[in-house]
Each structure stands twice: as C-alpha cells, then as structure tokens.
Amino acid sequence: MKKLLLASAVSMTMIGSVHADGHGGTYAFDDEGAHQFVTFKISHLGFSWLYGRFNEFDGQFVYDEENPENSSVSVTIDTSSVDSNHAERDKHLRSEDFLYVDDFPEASFQSTRVELGDDGEADIVGDLTLRGVTKEVTLDAKMLGHGEDPWGGYRMGFEAQTELALKDFGIPMDLGKASETVEVIISVEGIRQ
C-alpha cells in the first residue's frame, strides 16, 4: 500500500529510455480518464495472495529532457480509498492495525533523485510518508511510451514497482513471516500541462 505513493514516482523512469525531441515538461496524472493505478500484493499467511489498490490518488512529474536525472515526481494518496474487493477486509485495512486512516488520511511520495540505468530503466529514490512515518524508498521504473494523443494533448506513461516492509511504517499487525512485506506496482499516464 505504501508503494502506491512510489508508484507515481515511477513515471520518472522515462529519463533513460526516451530521446525524442520536445517531450520535456510537467505532466499531471490522468485521474479523470483513470489511466493510473496504484496496486499492491501481499501474502496471506503464506497460503494465497491478497491483491488491492488505492482508488484515489493524484500527482505530477516533471521530466527534464536535457538532464533526465533532474526529473522529479510527487504523489498524494487518499489512504481511505484502499480497495481489496472485500468490504470487511477494507474496513480492517483502514483500522489502527494497518493504515489507521482516521489519524493518517493521506500518504505521500516526493522524489529526491533519479538514478539512470544502462538498460533504459531508472531508480526513482524519494521519501514515502505512510501512517505518519517517512522513509526513503526506491522505485524500479521504466517508461512505457510517450507521444501525442487523439485529443490534441501529449502523454507519457511509466510503470514502477517496489517492496515495503510493514514494520518500517509502524504497521503493528503481524500475520507471520510470509506477510512481512508488500509489493507495490504503479502504472501512471501523465498529460503534459
């Protein structure tokens, strides 16, 4: 869940894989068209996988075409929008055992640096604040594509993933060794402003 914030950061990966002219600028997440996803996957007691997502989040990324490593991303997530396709479980995920949304209704990610790889991918490093705890996290990101859309705009899309340890963010629920970490996968499409 914490990863979701990072997800937005993923959009920054574009840096290493795109060299076309004129694609730099500030991109707002396409929340109106719902072309953005922050999803998570965690083991349930080692017996099965539990999947979920955050339905409400927003953000933007700035792509520096001349110096991609100077690009940045910021994301804000409404933690009460957690959705695991099960109302009672979602109620539990919003409780003090997990996200504690009454006291911490928002999670955020702000990138601090982008490290380019040789393979067209990038690490987006930044501060993730979840449940009142701020930790540095790294998103493994890659650009999916960019270009003009059919409506006269210009878009850029990225995918990123990371893994978070629940205890690092003060989540007290202990479901055993198999459930100590959560995998976060983020897919974001931005529209140039």
Side-chain angles (χ1 to χ4, degrees):
M1 308 166 179
K2 314 147 191 180
K3 307 282 183 134
L4 31 99
L5 302 177
L6 308 178
S8 21
V10 199
S11 26
M12 308 290 334
T13 355
M14 60 216 163
I15 44 194
S17 51
V18 178
H19 299 299
D21 293 334
H23 58 277
T26 299
Y27 290 77
F29 291 2
D30 182 14
D31 60 340
E32 184 177 331
H35 295 112
Q36 59 181 23
F37 299 89
V38 173
T39 60
F40 60 89
K41 170 182 162 182
I42 187 168
S43 174
H44 183 253
L45 307 173
F47 304 134
S48 65
W49 290 106
L50 183 148
Y51 294 85
R53 67 184 189 184
F54 289 89
N55 292 327
E56 301 293 331
F57 68 97
D58 200 7
Q60 71 173 25
F61 58 89
V62 177
Y63 178 65
D64 186 330
E65 189 173 0
E66 296 298 319
N67 299 290
E69 60 278 355
N70 293 333
S71 299
S72 64
V73 63
S74 61
V75 181
T76 301
I77 297 169
D78 176 355
T79 55
S80 69
S81 73
V82 66
D83 181 355
S84 68
N85 197 35
H86 189 277
E88 284 303 309
R89 179 172 50 232
D90 292 346
K91 183 177 178 181
H92 190 202
L93 291 174
R94 294 181 185 111
S95 76
E96 293 179 41
D97 286 344
F98 290 99
L99 295 172
Y100 201 2
V101 301
D102 287 345
D103 278 15
F104 307 103
E106 193 174 275
S108 64
F109 176 82
Q110 178 62 56
S111 65
T112 55
R113 68 183 184 276
V114 175
E115 300 172 354
L116 302 179
D118 296 331
D119 53 1
E121 298 186 358
D123 287 341
I124 299 170
V125 181
D127 294 326
L128 172 63
T129 300
L130 179 68
R131 210 175 184 275
V133 177
T134 301
K135 295 277 186 183
E136 184 177 86
V137 297
T138 300
L139 298 176
D140 297 327
K142 65 179 176 181
M143 177 189 256
L144 300 177
H146 67 90
E148 295 179 4
D149 64 26
W151 308 281
Y154 197 92
R155 294 173 182 252
M156 191 176 283
F158 299 88
E159 184 175 77
Q161 61 183 38
T162 188
E163 186 171 279
L164 305 174
L166 301 185
K167 67 178 181 179
D168 286 351
F169 292 90
I171 294 175
M173 192 68 186
D174 184 0
L175 294 175
K177 186 87 174 151
S179 306
E180 291 178 348
T181 61
V182 59
E183 182 180 350
V184 177
I185 302 106
I186 302 143
S187 182
V188 176
E189 189 173 299
I191 304 171
R192 188 161 59 188
Q193 302 302 288

